[in-house]
Amino acid sequence: MALTARVLYDFRSENPGEISIAENELVTLFSEEELDGWLEGENSRGEAGLFPASYVEIIKDHITSSTNNNGFSLAKNKAHTPSNTSFTSSDSHSPRGVGAGSGGGSFHTSQGSDDDWDDEWDDSSPVTNVPQGLSNVPPLYPVTSSLPARRESGQQQHQQQQAKSSATVGRNLNRFSTFVKSGGEAFLLGEASAFVKDGDRICVVMGKHGPEWQQDPYPFTCTIDDPTKQTKFKGMKSYMSYGLTPTHTNVQVNRRYKHFDWLYARLVERFPVISVPHLPEKQATGRFEEDFISKRRKGLIWWMNHMTTHPVLARCDVFQHFLTCGVDEKAWKQGKRKAERDELVGANFFLTISTPAVPLDLQEVESKIEGFKTFTKRMDEYSVVVNTTINEFARKQVTGFKKEYQKVGQAFKLLAQAFELDQQTYSVGLNKAITNSGEAYEAIGEYFAEQPRQDLDPISDLLDLYRGHLANFPDIVHVQKGALTKVKDCPKKEGDLHDRCNIISCATLAEIQHFHRTRVRDFRSQMQHHLRHQISFFQKITAKLEDALQRYDDVQ
């Protein structure tokens, strides 16, 4: 017999697998057994999925011993996840891809290209031990195979058991939501445990406009030289090598694109609420063509600029290893292993964050987050409009404008040829001047074809980079929203829960603040660059036309 429940409070779904329910609505339950604080059923609109058990009251004639007078299931009857439940990863729709620790850009390992792993890498890594008692149960959040299993003390196990059995804070049953995968939920529930060295501390300070990352006292930049083509296996395999020279060492190191790819994956896993800039796209064919090499280098320069100016990313160990480790293969592999065994990922990342003494107002935080969501959506929409418009304008300059100016120039030259049929000496100067005007128009046509590389393409490159950041932030915001929702759903105002939510809030707002500051810096600089080149471009055209005009002064 199907069970019916009356909805006590409105609930709006935020993750795949959840359904929205409204106060006083009657819903059908598939089972009265809770799954980590959630029930599964069907709402009045025929939508099936999950909703919080504490939001409904079960209606039935006979109250069994498993429920109290209010219809809430007792904690001792909390159901475990069935062993036959299908846990299929839904990362195909997540912007950050498999293994993503946060809201970062799409990361796809290359297949069948020069950027694949090969025997240069030390791919051997210890298999992670399966935690005791969980061998037949899917992990609650992704476990990175390169991370060694940690033994917990008796006290830690007791504390975690209490957190798991607590009825005050329900666990999200959707184990593939960003809030869960990022480790945000585990941290909020007090399940994070790792030793944090002083050098790994990340400070959030209260600035003029709110929380912000503490600035790096030793800023640096890094140049990327034109890549060189290298070969191995006696010339059977080729690849491009980029020379990187950071200013704080002034020592050049050589890196392939796959090294950037590996670094990106480590950073995404390491920093759940930091927007790691996306790398330029991969390409299976034409990797050694000049245009592609030039475009990729420009993209890597933008990427490197955003990395070195981020107060947190710039000084993290794995990035410093990437920038400073030279030709010593043993040292490189040691640093690589260390990064892949880093324990301060996922939930443990939040343990590294130090916040201002005065906690944030969570209502104000929620308001700022909602405002930022609106901003990013609008910026993303209009970035597409700008990109489409300038690309179309560039196409017209390269093809249409060039062709039209050259047609005018050729027409003037034909007129001069006709005038040359007049053998009079006083006509010679005019004929030459008209021919020169035709050549000037042809040259101007070439100017138009070359100009987009100088002032329009850089804007398009910048917009591509920021579209990557904009793709990262929904996941980052989702972690923050998940934390706020947990706090709201908690009947008892637990101090530790609020403190941990405050840490996530401070980190999220600090990253948003950094994004805005960097955005203002980049677009100000790029628009100045664009207008300067536009002025120079039209001055060049003006000079060409003035020279053509000068030729007529010599006509007698």
Side-chain angles (χ1 to χ4, degrees):
M1 177 178 177
L3 297 175
T4 302
R6 184 181 304 279
V7 179
L8 302 176
Y9 315 103
D10 290 342
F11 171 73
R12 185 176 63 182
S13 64
E14 293 186 351
N15 299 306
E18 300 173 357
I19 58 173
S20 297
I21 53 179
E23 185 178 353
N24 294 324
E25 180 182 358
L26 295 180
V27 296
T28 301
L29 303 181
F30 297 155
S31 171
E32 66 177 306
E33 293 184 338
E34 294 183 23
L35 298 177
D36 288 334
W38 292 73
L39 289 171
E40 187 175 11
E42 182 178 308
N43 61 20
S44 59
R45 296 179 298 281
E47 300 168 342
L50 305 170
F51 46 85
S54 60
Y55 279 49
V56 301
E57 180 182 17
I58 298 176
I59 304 174
K60 56 183 180 178
D61 296 334
H62 302 287
I63 305 299
T64 67
S65 60
S66 64
T67 58
N68 62 19
N69 292 333
N70 292 324
F72 294 109
S73 297
L74 296 177
K76 67 179 182 180
N77 288 327
K78 183 181 293 183
H80 294 288
T81 304
S83 59
N84 63 347
T85 302
S86 174
F87 280 80
T88 304
S89 173
S90 61
D91 282 325
S92 59
H93 67 264
S94 175
R96 292 177 78 87
V98 176
S102 73
S106 55
F107 164 67
H108 306 283
T109 54
S110 53
Q111 298 179 355
S113 74
D114 174 55
D115 297 317
D116 287 342
W117 304 116
D118 56 30
D119 58 356
E120 288 182 11
W121 291 98
D122 177 21
D123 290 329
S124 61
S125 60
V127 179
T128 304
N129 297 327
V130 180
Q132 295 181 0
L134 296 178
S135 57
N136 295 323
V137 181
L140 296 181
Y141 52 92
V143 179
T144 306
S145 60
S146 59
L147 294 177
R150 297 187 296 276
R151 289 188 176 274
E152 298 167 338
S153 66
Q155 182 180 2
Q156 289 173 334
Q157 289 180 352
H158 177 68
Q159 290 174 344
Q160 291 191 8
Q161 193 66 28
Q162 283 185 326
K164 292 177 182 177
S165 63
S166 172
T168 58
V169 184
R171 184 185 294 277
N172 191 341
L173 189 60
N174 183 0
R175 308 321 296 163
F176 299 109
S177 73
T178 305
F179 181 47
V180 176
K181 290 192 300 178
S182 67
E185 182 189 63
F187 171 73
L188 197 71
L189 298 181
E191 298 174 3
S193 175
F195 175 72
V196 181
K197 298 180 296 184
D198 289 341
D200 292 324
R201 295 285 178 188
I202 300 172
C203 293
V204 177
V205 298
M206 187 57 66
K208 181 179 179 181
H209 303 286
E212 58 186 38
W213 301 118
Q214 187 176 54
Q215 293 300 308
D216 186 352
Y218 305 105
F220 66 96
T221 58
C222 182
T223 60
I224 301 181
D225 297 337
D226 287 326
T228 57
K229 189 174 182 180
Q230 306 289 335
T231 60
K232 63 179 182 178
F233 303 138
K234 297 181 179 181
M236 295 179 62
K237 190 169 185 180
S238 301
Y239 60 90
M240 301 304 298
S241 178
Y242 297 85
L244 313 181
T245 307
T247 56
H248 63 316
T249 64
N250 286 320
V251 177
Q252 179 174 300
V253 296
N254 294 310
R255 297 287 181 260
R256 294 172 59 180
Y257 182 83
K258 70 173 187 180
H259 299 138
F260 285 90
D261 212 20
W262 170 83
L263 172 63
Y264 174 80
R266 299 281 70 76
L267 293 170
V268 167
E269 182 183 35
R270 175 72 169 80
F271 300 105
V273 290
I274 289 180
S275 177
V276 181
H278 289 203
L279 287 167
E281 292 182 357
K282 297 178 181 179
Q283 184 166 308
T285 60
R287 290 178 292 110
F288 301 115
E289 294 179 0
E290 185 177 347
D291 286 347
F292 174 73
I293 292 172
S294 176
K295 182 175 179 61
R296 172 176 277 187
R297 176 174 174 263
K298 290 177 181 177
L300 290 176
I301 289 173
W302 271 116
W303 183 88
M304 183 63 71
N305 182 41
H306 274 219
M307 286 294 300
T308 57
T309 55
H310 195 290
V312 178
L313 298 178
R315 66 183 186 90
C316 72
D317 289 345
V318 63
F319 184 51
Q320 287 298 319
H321 175 67
F322 174 83
L323 291 179
T324 60
C325 187
V327 295
D328 187 341
E329 184 177 355
K330 183 177 180 181
W332 171 262
K333 289 182 178 180
Q334 287 177 344
K336 179 176 179 286
R337 291 192 192 103
K338 179 182 177 182
E340 291 171 349
R341 295 172 181 172
D342 189 358
E343 292 192 350
L344 299 178
V345 299
N348 290 342
F349 161 77
F350 297 103
L351 297 175
T352 67
I353 298 174
S354 299
T355 60
V358 179
L360 302 174
D361 183 313
L362 294 186
Q363 287 187 339
E364 185 178 347
V365 170
E366 185 172 25
S367 176
K368 288 183 177 180
I369 293 296
E370 288 299 321
F372 183 71
K373 285 175 61 178
T374 302
F375 169 85
T376 52
K377 182 180 179 181
R378 191 64 56 85
M379 180 179 174
D380 188 42
E381 291 174 354
Y382 291 143
S383 292
V384 174
V385 173
V386 173
N387 212 18
T388 302
T389 302
I390 64 175
N391 284 336
E392 176 63 18
F393 185 54
R395 186 191 64 79
K396 289 179 179 179
Q397 287 191 224
V398 173
T399 57
F401 290 6
K402 175 183 177 180
K403 183 178 179 180
E404 293 304 318
Y405 270 89
Q406 288 180 338
K407 284 174 64 177
V408 172
Q410 291 169 2
F412 283 155
K413 290 168 72 175
L414 289 174
L415 179 63
Q417 290 177 12
F419 283 180
E420 287 175 358
L421 296 176
D422 177 16
Q423 301 287 323
Q424 303 298 331
T425 57
Y426 52 76
S427 181
V428 174
L430 175 63
N431 298 343
K432 290 182 177 179
I434 295 177
T435 298
N436 183 264
S437 296
E439 293 172 347
Y441 271 83
E442 289 178 335
I444 291 172
E446 293 291 344
Y447 294 166
F448 272 102
E450 297 168 358
Q451 189 59 24
R453 291 177 178 267
Q454 306 299 323
D455 53 24
L456 292 179
D457 287 358
I459 293 179
S460 183
D461 292 340
L462 180 63
L463 289 173
D464 285 344
L465 180 70
Y466 270 87
R467 289 187 67 192
H469 280 300
L470 294 173
N472 292 344
F473 274 106
D475 280 354
I476 295 175
V477 167
H478 189 76
V479 175
Q480 165 64 27
K481 294 284 288 183
L484 286 174
T485 301
K486 288 291 184 188
V487 172
K488 286 182 179 180
D489 290 347
C490 177
K492 298 179 180 179
K493 302 298 184 180
E494 297 184 2
D496 289 345
L497 193 69
H498 278 256
D499 290 343
R500 290 191 284 268
C501 182
N502 182 66
I503 290 175
I504 296 177
S505 299
C506 284
T508 305
L509 292 183
E511 183 60 16
I512 290 174
Q513 186 71 242
H514 175 76
F515 170 81
H516 282 310
R517 288 186 179 277
T518 305
R519 173 183 57 83
V520 171
R521 177 201 69 190
D522 287 345
F523 280 89
R524 173 180 177 272
S525 174
Q526 198 55 61
M527 290 306 298
Q528 288 176 328
H529 172 89
H530 172 77
L531 293 174
R532 290 191 185 103
H533 275 271
Q534 281 282 288
I535 291 170
S536 177
F537 170 64
F538 285 108
Q539 286 176 339
K540 189 176 179 181
I541 292 176
T542 300
K544 197 69 177 177
L545 294 175
E546 287 178 341
D547 178 71
L549 176 62
Q550 185 71 31
R551 303 299 178 94
Y552 291 94
D553 293 340
D554 299 331
V555 177
Q556 300 295 330

